Structure formats: C-alpha cells, structure tokens
Amino acid sequence: MQVLLKGATLIDPVSGHDGAMDLHIADGVIQQLGPNLSVSRAQVFDLRGKVVAPGFIDMHVHLREPGFEHKETIRTGVEAAAAGGFTAVCCMPNTNPAIDDESVIRFIQSKAGIALNGLVDVYPVGAVTVGRKGEQLAPLAELAAAGAVAFSDDGEPVQSAEMVRRALEYSGMFGRPLIQHAQDLPLTKGGVMHEGFTATELGLPGMPGIAEEVMVARDVRIVEFTGGRYHVAHISTAGTLELVRAAKARHLHVSCEVSPHHFTLTDEAVRTYDTNTKMNPPLRTRDDVEALKEGLRDGSIEVIATDHAPHSFDEKQVEFSSAPFGIVGLETAFGLAVTELVRKNVLSLYQLIQKFSTNPRAILGLPAIRVSEGEKANLTMFDPAAEWVVDPSEFKTMSKNTPFGGYKLTGRALGVINNGQILWTE
Amino acid sequence: MPLQSRHLLGLDGMPRQDLQLILDTAVSFREVLERPIKKVPPLQGKTIANMFFENSTRTRLSFELAERRLSADVLGFQSTGSSVSKGETLKDTARNIEAMKVDMVVMRHFASGAPHYLSTVIEGHVINAGDGSHEHPTQALLDMYTIREKLGRLEDLHVCIVGDIAHSRVARSNIYGLRTMGARVSVCGPATMIPREIERMGVEVHHHLDDVLPHVDVLNVLRIQLERDAGRLFPSIREYHAMYGITRARLEKAGRAVTIMHPGPINRDVELSSDVADGEHSVILQQVLNGVAVRMAVLYLLSSK
C-alpha cells in the first residue's frame, strides 16, 4: 500500500503541528511528511480543505459480543467505528459472559483481529467485580496482563464504598483507571428520565441528578484516600462537573468523559415518548448542557466518548418505561461534536482532536500517536465542512436506535488508516 | 365544529374550544341518561376495543356503558402485568385486535405515554383511559363537567387537588384542563408527593391543608395508595389523616361551603371521612353519572373525525 495524502491540514496535538502537510504512507508506516510531496506509484488522495489527525478512540462502547449478537457484533461494531472515524474503541464488559476473565478478552481480541483485517484496535475494559455483581474483585492482574486497559462494572455502578476502595487500591497497582458509571441506585429506583419539570409533566418516574453527584462525591473522597486513577463515565450534570473540577484542583487522578447526546439534547426531547431518547444517565436540563460545554471548553472534561449502546429495533418498539436504556453513537459522534462544539465556538478543531484522540489515550495509558516519519500510520481523515443528514438506515452498526435520524450535521469522517489498513467511507 | 385531534391522548395542549365542545356535547348525552330508553344510535356499526392493562372497575364500566348507550359493538380485554413479561408486545396485541376491524381503542395502561406510542402504530382512534402517572383525560373532563354543573362555571374558581400529586394522572389532566378553562388550581400534599417544579404548570403548591382551605371552592381529593406508600412517602396512615384527611370539623373550621370531589375508590377515614364523602357538598356520585355522559361525548366526537 502506497498512499499520498495531498493538500490536507495536519493537526497533531502531540507535536503541536497545525498546518498544511502532505503525507506519504507505505506499508502502514509514515515515510515522508512535507509540503508538496510527489511520489511515483503511490495512490494520491486530494484532501484540500480536509483534515488529517491522529486516529480517534472511543473509550466507551458496547460491542455486545459475546452474548447479545442480535444487537451488535464485534464485526459490525468495528465497521461502525471505522465509519465514524475511529481507529480504536474500548469495549465495556457488560457482555455475557462478562469480561471478568482472560478467556473473554482473548475471544474479543481474536474477533477484532479479523474484523476489517484488524483496522480498528479493540481494547477491552475488564470488569471490576466477578460477573459485575459488586461482590468479589475480578482477577484484575490477569485481565490487565491479557490486555484490559481499564476496569469498570459499567451499567452496574459499584455501590459499596468498600468495594470502590479495594478496587482503587488494587487497580492502582497496574496504573489502569477505574471507570465508574456513577449512579446511586436507590435514588433512581424505577426512574426512566431526568427528574425535573419535563418528567413532572410527562408523569414519568425520575432519576435525579444527585444520584450521579453523590456517588462521584463519595468516590472522589475515596480516591483521595487510596490513590489510583478514577474516570467518571458519561457525566451528565453541572454538579458532577463541579465535583470533578474540585478533585482536579486537589491534583487527584480524576478524569471524565461526556457523550455527544448529553451536550446536544435536553430532557425536553423525551416529550414525544420516543424510546430513543431513553438513556442512562438520562438527558438533563439546558443548564446542565451549557455547563458541560463550558467543562469541555475549559478542559475539565478531557474526553468525548459515545456510550454506543446498540439495541435491536423490537427492543425499543415498546412503551417508554419498558424500553432498554441507550442509543448508538459511533457514526454520529464526530458530526455532533463539530456541529455543537466547533461550529458554536466551544472548541477549536485542535481541541476537538485532543478530546477524541490524545486525551483518552493518555488517560488509558496507551502510547501517544506520533504523526512523524518512521511512525506507524494511525490516522483519521475528516471534512470539517461536510454537510450531511443522518440516515440511520445507512449505519454500519447493526442497531439503528438513535434520536438523531434526520438531523443535519456538519463535519464527517472521510476515512481511517491503521495497522496497515486503509478505509474510506463512501 | 369538530375536535382538532383524532385521538384523545390527554388534555395537555387541548384548545379551550375543544374542551368547551366536549363539555357542551356531554350536556345533551347527560339528558339522554335521564330518559326511560337510554340508548341512542350514533355509533351503530362501530366497534370499540377496551384494552385495560391495569386493574380498573369504574373507568372500564363507565366506558363500556357509554359505548353501549351509543349503540357501538364492544369488546373488552383486561390484563395485568407487563406486556414484555407476557411475551407479547403492546404493539402486537394492539395490531392483532385492530386486525379484527376495530374503529377505536380505549386503553388503560400502567406506563406513561403508552397511548401516545399506540397512536403511532395503529390506524384507529385512541382514547386514553389513564396512562401511568401521566394523564386521565376523561376523568378530568367529568370533573370539570361536574364542577360546572354544580357551580355554574369554571373561570376564576379555585380548585385544590389534595394528595399524591406525583403519582396522579388525575391531577395532571385536571391541571391542564382547569388552567385552560381559566380556573385557579392549587395542589396540596406532603412534600414527598409533590413532583419537582410543578409550579411551572401554573399551580400553587401547599403543604398545610388548613392554610389553603379557607380560600378554595372545590376540593378534588385523591386516593392514597396505602400499601405502596405508607412508611415511604408518608410516615403512617394516622399521620396522613391528621394532616390531609378531609373531615367535617376541618371544613367547618374553614367556614366555607367547599364542593367535594373524589375520583374513587375512596379510602374512608383516610383521605376522606364518611360524613364528608356522603355529605351535602359531596358530588362524588354525580361524578360517576357524569362520567358516562362525558365519555359518550368524547366517543361521539372522535368517531365523526
């Protein structure tokens, strides 16, 4: 494979480069960087007006395999990731069986190695506790050695303070973060949407923002006591953001991510009772959305991650209260981020690339991607000005559960290069 | 002048002229119910399915009677428990019933929003007979009809809804309908039973009944779910009765002839004492009778859409 990317703007936060640069790639390795390159025998791609960036990673994805292959498989999830501009994903352990021993990690790795010839790196997140039941520590050393990049019982928040303490102490030995889906379960019992005015009008049981905040507040105190790395998944409230800021001010290893739907939609979207507006944590208020954008702007929120949660058509074709939580996100994340953040002057493209690539890799302890001669090419190409309309029927993901069908977005991934493979969307 | 919508899902957003039309139409059907022969022909040849996914006696009987009085063919269906646990989805159940050429579906469902969902998957008219904690539009319509019958108007009357507002579909529909018709609405109950930001629905919030009682024209007293809520949303039935129970002594102290309503069934001596429930200001049985007339009006108006 000989490829010449011509005329693009290269934005690389690791080197600090932000300007025009041609790239010559052969056999998956960057051969040459420079202005006005010309290479004989190379396939030339005209990328004038387009951007080349270090490959994106989505650190919060549900690939559903093993166990729930009617929602998504590793193959379809990887295809969706590549279509969305991601060269890597972290898959959450709420599979069946859960990712709580080495064999499940090996299974995922073997499937991921075949999908698109290994174009997308799939990094499993190991369970914190056996079966994600919150009772007994999972073999974290075994999981880390097999390739788990973090630990989480995502979807089943670790309720016991004592278990969080032990998990932080133990996972700290491997330098891997504990990713907490922060939710105090008794406070959200029966809840299906944000508890506020809209829930009051719709008569739907609420999930108050404090359910997230009390757990983050508690966990941050534990982090201060134990050390270790703590990452809050999909933060959704202004209050959680304040707690994260306070923890950072105390120099704790606390980080967080936000999902595109939480900086785009409010609980008002639930008014239609569309089950594709049902997710956990739920869509919050306008004030929360504005606070989260400010958190992205000031750097308190380092990561954009999708919480890609495929559910089959029939599973969502039910009454609101019976529907499962979650929406797919891999193929809309970048467009939503450009539309809601870059176009609205919350973030520059440079900062956006940090949130999609540099920052999550640093939090997970993955090697930084260097866009320089002699390095492996791990790249995302995108058009920041492309206008397109979301059509879920065109998604690569097996499930189509999105509230964004028909949305007009700006910004779209054009292709990805990784592990010697190249894939252009369209 | 027909109704704007082809379904009756709720009173949220229903324009004043539609509310007026239903209440005025109900007056003629109310008159029919006084005749020796109480059956009229407008829905002859129409088929109505009553799908009840939650226990109900009076609403189900009231709808059934209204349908039969209008000469419709009626089929009933009652089931409890989640459709998912039964192994058939709401969508499939409804489509199967509709496949038998049904014109209208009256549905009671434990899930808020279920009739809204239903209206997107079937062709026929959908009438909400109560969905979760969301709306119970025909109950609110019969409440408004009864107030208007008793006091002559709705404008500028003060109606206070007492009890578990958070879990009440009756409360929400009453708030929407009464506010649209120009009434003043307050809610009164323990803070654990008042949903967040309900003030934004245009109602006053009270926690102490004796503070608001001297200012109200109508009390709409809600049923307390004894088994479910005692010890969780309020400490005990004894304490609830002491704070929110409507008794003759309490009403006399307020010094005002307050019209008493209750959607039923009553927990006597919990939310309402017998001397009030059966007293001269109670319109609870009129509500039941008016319910049939109001439901006839709704069925009639929707069938001509």
Side-chain angles (χ1 to χ4, degrees):
Chain A
M1 181 187 76
Q2 291 255 7
V3 175
L4 181 59
L5 306 179
K6 274 196 81 70
T9 300
L10 171 65
I11 304 179
D12 176 17
V14 173
S15 68
H17 187 88
D18 185 354
M21 190 75 84
D22 293 351
L23 287 90
H24 171 217
I25 298 156
D27 302 321
V29 175
I30 299 169
Q31 304 294 331
Q32 214 182 342
L33 278 177
N36 304 314
L37 294 184
S38 83
V39 179
S40 56
R41 298 186 331 275
Q43 202 181 354
V44 180
F45 294 97
D46 179 0
L47 293 180
R48 276 173 296 183
K50 316 294 194 283
V51 176
V52 174
F56 293 171
I57 180 169
D58 184 348
M59 69 178 284
H60 195 135
V61 169
H62 299 274
L63 290 181
R64 303 301 190 204
E65 189 177 358
F68 306 97
E69 292 83 354
H70 65 293
K71 298 171 190 268
E72 189 86 287
T73 62
I74 291 167
R75 182 178 64 77
T76 56
V78 156
E79 287 172 359
F86 296 95
T87 63
V89 295
C90 296
C91 59
M92 285 293 168
N94 58 337
T95 47
N96 185 20
I99 307 178
D100 62 1
D101 74 32
E102 183 183 349
S103 67
V104 186
I105 291 189
R106 297 289 175 222
F107 169 82
I108 291 167
Q109 288 166 337
S110 72
K111 291 268 181 170
I114 304 165
L116 296 178
N117 296 319
L119 168 69
V120 174
D121 298 313
V122 174
Y123 298 111
V125 174
V128 179
T129 63
V130 174
R132 301 167 53 251
K133 293 186 194 309
E135 291 161 5
Q136 187 188 343
L137 275 180
L140 305 192
E142 173 186 313
L143 291 168
V149 292
F151 303 106
S152 180
D153 279 355
D154 186 49
E156 289 294 335
V158 184
Q159 292 295 300
S160 151
E162 200 255 344
M163 185 55 80
V164 171
R165 172 195 170 165
R166 298 304 176 204
L168 278 165
E169 287 172 337
Y170 200 82
S171 65
M173 296 193 296
F174 315 105
R176 305 273 202 288
L178 176 73
I179 301 175
Q180 178 75 295
H181 169 133
Q183 180 187 359
D184 182 79
L185 293 177
L187 276 172
T188 57
K189 193 172 173 216
V192 297
M193 72 171 292
H194 172 68
E195 183 173 346
F197 177 62
T198 310
T200 290
E201 285 215 315
L202 295 181
L204 288 171
M207 309 170 79
I210 54 169
E212 179 174 301
E213 294 155 8
V214 295
M215 185 164 278
V216 172
R218 177 197 79 175
D219 287 356
V220 164
R221 297 300 299 168
I222 300 173
V223 174
E224 189 151 19
F225 181 70
T226 58
R229 294 174 181 272
Y230 179 78
H231 180 82
V232 192
H234 41 53
I235 75 166
S236 68
T237 79
T240 305
L241 180 60
E242 271 181 45
L243 291 161
V244 169
R245 282 199 183 111
K248 287 174 189 288
R250 295 161 84 93
H251 305 293
L252 302 177
H253 284 299
V254 171
S255 57
C256 67
E257 72 197 25
V258 65
S259 301
H261 46 274
H262 285 127
F263 62 65
T264 304
L265 298 174
T266 69
D267 60 347
E268 284 288 321
V270 183
R271 283 198 180 277
T272 56
Y273 291 101
D274 178 356
T275 54
N276 287 327
T277 62
K278 182 177 176 181
M279 57 282 277
N280 184 8
L283 298 171
R284 302 287 187 187
T285 68
R286 177 57 54 196
D287 286 349
D288 292 310
V289 168
E290 293 310 318
L292 294 174
K293 286 183 175 178
E294 188 49 41
L296 282 161
R297 190 203 308 268
D298 70 18
S300 308
I301 303 173
E302 301 98 324
V303 175
I304 297 170
T306 64
D307 193 9
H308 178 82
H311 293 293
S312 77
F313 176 76
D314 288 320
E315 288 168 323
K316 282 282 197 181
Q317 275 286 305
V318 291
E319 315 84 90
F320 196 86
S321 58
S322 303
F325 291 101
I327 61 169
V328 293
L330 282 166
E331 290 162 88
T332 49
F334 183 69
L336 287 166
V338 172
T339 305
E340 290 298 316
L341 304 176
V342 178
R343 304 287 285 189
K344 294 182 178 171
N345 298 314
V346 177
L347 296 178
S348 64
L349 276 178
Y350 188 96
Q351 291 168 311
L352 193 70
I353 291 164
Q354 291 178 309
K355 315 259 185 212
F356 270 121
S357 178
T358 328
N359 295 348
R361 293 185 74 91
I363 287 165
L364 296 165
L366 294 169
I369 297 169
R370 297 187 180 281
V371 187
S372 54
E373 289 171 10
E375 294 285 336
K376 189 184 99 170
N378 183 345
L379 301 169
T380 294
M381 288 78 73
F382 63 83
D383 181 352
E387 294 190 348
W388 60 291
V389 176
V390 178
D391 178 358
S393 70
E394 290 179 354
F395 283 172
K396 302 288 185 198
T397 173
M398 192 185 286
S399 295
K400 316 296 175 194
N401 49 313
T402 175
F404 297 115
Y407 266 56
K408 200 176 165 202
L409 299 181
T410 304
R412 192 167 196 180
L414 297 173
V416 285
I417 298 176
N418 188 30
N419 295 334
Q421 302 293 318
I422 181 164
L423 185 130
W424 296 95
T425 51
E426 304 308 309
Chain B
M1 187 187 60
L3 294 175
Q4 287 203 352
S5 171
R6 55 189 304 275
H7 307 290
L8 177 64
L9 303 179
L11 300 192
D12 181 11
M14 181 179 279
R16 188 178 176 128
Q17 64 262 30
D18 281 12
L19 292 170
Q20 200 87 48
L21 175 63
I22 294 170
L23 296 178
D24 291 346
T25 308
V27 174
S28 3
F29 287 118
R30 177 71 179 73
E31 183 268 320
V32 168
L33 298 178
E34 297 297 335
R35 296 179 193 169
I37 305 291
K38 299 178 175 60
K39 198 161 179 140
V40 287
L43 295 194
Q44 209 158 39
K46 300 272 187 193
T47 309
I48 303 177
N50 297 318
M51 295 172 47
F52 279 67
F53 292 91
E54 192 182 69
N55 283 325
S56 160
T57 305
R58 74 191 57 207
T59 302
R60 188 168 52 84
L61 291 179
S62 179
F63 264 109
E64 222 174 282
L65 196 58
E67 291 153 6
R68 293 186 196 283
R69 295 271 191 250
L70 291 168
S71 306
D73 294 315
V74 179
L75 53 134
F77 165 94
Q78 182 145 6
S79 132
T80 51
S82 132
S83 53
V84 174
S85 70
K86 274 177 64 233
E88 188 180 43
T89 63
L90 171 59
K91 182 178 173 179
D92 282 337
T93 307
R95 282 191 165 170
N96 273 280
I97 288 175
E98 191 176 44
M100 301 178 214
K101 301 291 178 200
V102 164
D103 301 291
M104 287 183 163
V105 172
V106 173
M107 184 171 75
R108 158 73 57 92
H109 203 284
F110 53 85
S112 300
H116 304 69
Y117 169 67
L118 188 71
S119 72
T120 67
V121 296
I122 69 169
E123 296 293 320
H125 304 278
V126 175
I127 297 174
N128 181 3
D131 65 319
S133 306
H134 181 222
E135 285 226 44
H136 192 351
T138 58
Q139 177 70 43
L141 286 163
L142 75 88
D143 289 346
M144 290 194 285
Y145 183 97
T146 307
I147 295 170
R148 205 174 71 160
E149 181 184 63
K150 169 89 172 172
L151 301 175
R153 65 191 162 97
L154 291 165
E155 291 80 5
D156 301 322
L157 287 178
H158 183 176
V159 179
C160 179
I161 308 168
V162 184
D164 183 0
I165 310 301
H167 297 96
S168 175
R169 50 191 171 220
V170 175
R172 283 170 181 77
S173 287
N174 263 278
I175 291 168
Y176 288 125
L178 287 166
R179 293 289 297 138
T180 304
M181 296 305 289
R184 174 182 168 194
V185 183
S186 56
V187 295
C188 182
T192 45
M193 292 178 151
I194 305 289
R196 295 180 75 76
E197 300 181 60
I198 194 167
E199 301 84 354
R200 288 175 59 189
M201 292 177 78
V203 302
E204 303 159 31
V205 175
H206 296 276
H207 300 302
H208 300 283
L209 188 57
D210 294 322
D211 292 351
V212 68
L213 216 44
H215 310 289
V216 305
D217 299 298
V218 178
L219 278 181
N220 199 345
V221 186
L222 302 176
R223 175 181 167 81
I224 287 298
Q225 299 286 326
L226 301 174
E227 346 42 64
R228 191 188 63 191
D229 297 331
R232 197 170 65 91
L233 296 179
F234 55 87
S236 64
I237 290 163
R238 178 168 168 265
E239 183 150 315
Y240 185 86
H241 181 70
M243 284 197 73
Y244 301 103
I246 316 291
T247 61
R248 183 173 288 269
R250 182 165 242 157
L251 289 170
E252 277 169 3
K253 204 174 112 203
R256 203 171 158 103
V258 180
T259 299
I260 303 293
M261 304 206 299
H262 192 294
I266 304 170
N267 295 306
R268 286 180 182 263
D269 294 323
V270 181
E271 67 259 7
L272 208 52
S273 68
S274 283
D275 50 8
V276 177
D278 308 329
E280 71 272 30
H281 299 299
S282 164
V283 292
I284 293 170
L285 293 176
Q286 281 93 310
Q287 286 176 271
V288 177
L289 175 61
N290 293 337
V292 179
V294 163
R295 290 179 175 116
M296 288 171 79
V298 167
L299 293 162
Y300 168 74
L301 290 168
L302 284 179
S303 74
S304 56
K305 277 286 288 187

